[in-house]
Amino acid sequence: MLDYDHLSALSAILRTGSFEKAARQLGLTPSAISQRIKALEERVGAVLVVRGQPCRPTLAGQRLFRHAEEVALLEAGLGRDLGEFAGMAKTPSLRLAVNADSLATWFVPAMAAVDAFLYDLVLDDQDHSAEWLRRGEVRAAVTGSSQAVQGCDCLYLGRLRYFATASPDFMARWFPDGVTAERLAVAPTMTFNTKDTLQSRWLALAFAMDISPPTHWLPSSHGFVDATLAGVGWGMNPEILVSNEITGSRLLMLLPDRPLDIPLYWHWSRSAGPALKVLTEAVLATARRLLVQDHP
């Protein structure tokens, strides 16, 4: 049997990144946290934490961390089922992988609909977020892949629609005679990070050509909109974020008949499925309300 006070110490260290912060979170001294980790390491016969800035788990530590999280989710679900016992169960932390544009457009209302968890979000591109599930570092993820990760279930959510947009001044300066492949090759665009392929995917869709324009690097969904409004460059912005700006002509679509729809899927760990049922229902309901629902 494992001591769950010891597992709580491990989880706090890996969530906060240090023994000191974990001690403050749990109302203990750093020495007490160290003693709990030492006892747990002796119990399982393996080093669990690599000390550093931040502290990192070993493979054994990561496995125990996942176990502790799943137990906390199961206990919370049991609390909900047993009524009066619910007040005794601690609110569990739930780690999810979400792409930045989903977080900025539709995912927060799904979170707000479920107060059964303390959310611990990691941000990654929708084409890479499934890797967090494969590594066992999250319990669920919004991804762009329809292929279920081993040990997980998957449901289609809908499509997040993007438009290539720019400010009126930017359009007048860079596309005085219309949007052409030649002008797009020199007009500055914006890129979220090295994993962001939205601009190149739209260019290939719209012109069936390999166009590589100069780019700004701007890792913020709302910053993308602000920079587009300011005329810094053109970029792929979610329709949900910029519909008012387009309606008010503060932003113009480069090619109004060429949206880019990105399909999104909800993947969740099968072992935690019952505990995540209420969140899965909220995610599906919110997606059906806010995402484009033409099926791929």
Side-chain angles (χ1 to χ4, degrees):
M1 296 293 292
L2 295 170
D3 187 314
Y4 284 91
D5 285 339
H6 296 171
L7 287 176
S8 294
L10 175 66
S11 296
I13 290 167
L14 298 182
R15 288 190 184 284
T16 63
S18 76
F19 282 65
E20 292 74 17
K21 290 179 181 178
R24 289 197 295 271
Q25 184 181 87
L26 296 179
L28 301 169
T29 65
S31 175
I33 292 290
S34 294
Q35 290 172 11
R36 290 186 178 188
I37 295 303
K38 181 179 179 181
L40 186 57
E41 289 178 334
E42 290 176 351
R43 175 71 181 83
V44 299
V47 175
L48 301 176
V49 178
V50 178
R51 287 166 169 77
Q53 297 296 329
C55 293
R56 295 180 294 105
T58 62
L59 289 177
Q62 184 64 44
R63 182 64 188 89
L64 280 180
F65 176 69
R66 294 201 304 269
H67 172 72
E69 186 175 67
E70 289 182 0
V71 169
L73 290 172
L74 290 172
E75 287 186 348
L78 180 64
R80 291 192 297 271
D81 293 341
L82 296 184
E84 292 184 4
F85 174 68
M88 300 171 58
K90 294 181 180 178
T91 303
S93 291
L94 177 61
R95 202 172 200 210
L96 310 172
V98 183
N99 60 308
D101 284 343
S102 286
L103 184 62
T105 54
W106 69 272
F107 194 75
V108 169
M111 293 169 54
V114 179
D115 61 1
F117 309 107
L118 297 174
Y119 294 102
D120 178 5
L121 301 186
V122 294
L123 294 183
D124 207 342
D125 186 88
Q126 66 275 353
D127 294 329
H128 299 267
S129 52
E131 291 300 323
W132 291 83
L133 273 170
R134 292 189 181 94
R135 295 195 301 266
E137 295 185 41
V138 298
R139 302 278 71 76
V142 175
T143 84
S145 172
S146 61
Q147 184 175 359
V149 175
Q150 184 176 2
C152 296
D153 289 319
C154 171
L155 285 173
Y156 175 67
L157 294 173
R159 293 173 178 255
L160 186 57
R161 176 161 290 174
Y162 291 81
F163 282 105
T165 54
S167 69
D169 288 345
F170 187 92
M171 293 290 288
R173 177 183 177 187
W174 291 99
F175 305 111
D177 300 315
V179 177
T180 64
E182 291 74 21
R183 295 304 300 166
L184 282 166
V186 296
T189 186
M190 296 179 294
T191 306
F192 190 91
N193 59 25
T194 55
K195 297 178 180 179
D196 177 15
T197 61
L198 293 179
Q199 283 68 222
S200 60
R201 289 166 71 172
W202 180 79
L203 288 167
L205 175 70
F207 292 92
M209 296 172 60
D210 183 12
I211 302 172
S212 298
T215 188
H216 302 283
W217 298 91
L218 209 165
S220 165
S221 297
H222 290 285
F224 241 66
V225 176
D226 292 340
T228 310
L229 287 165
V232 172
W234 69 269
M236 303 303 300
N237 284 305
E239 182 183 20
I240 299 172
L241 278 187
V242 296
S243 58
N244 289 337
E245 283 71 19
I246 291 173
T247 300
S249 298
R250 294 182 295 277
L251 284 180
L252 303 178
M253 292 181 281
L254 272 64
L255 297 176
D257 61 342
R258 289 289 188 273
L260 178 65
D261 285 354
I262 301 299
L264 297 175
Y265 300 82
W266 176 243
H267 297 245
W268 70 97
S269 172
R270 200 170 293 134
S271 63
L276 297 181
K277 183 175 183 292
V278 62
L279 178 61
T280 294
E281 291 173 349
V283 167
L284 291 175
T286 305
R288 287 166 183 159
R289 180 164 53 91
L290 297 178
L291 298 180
V292 176
Q293 290 301 309
D294 53 320
H295 287 262

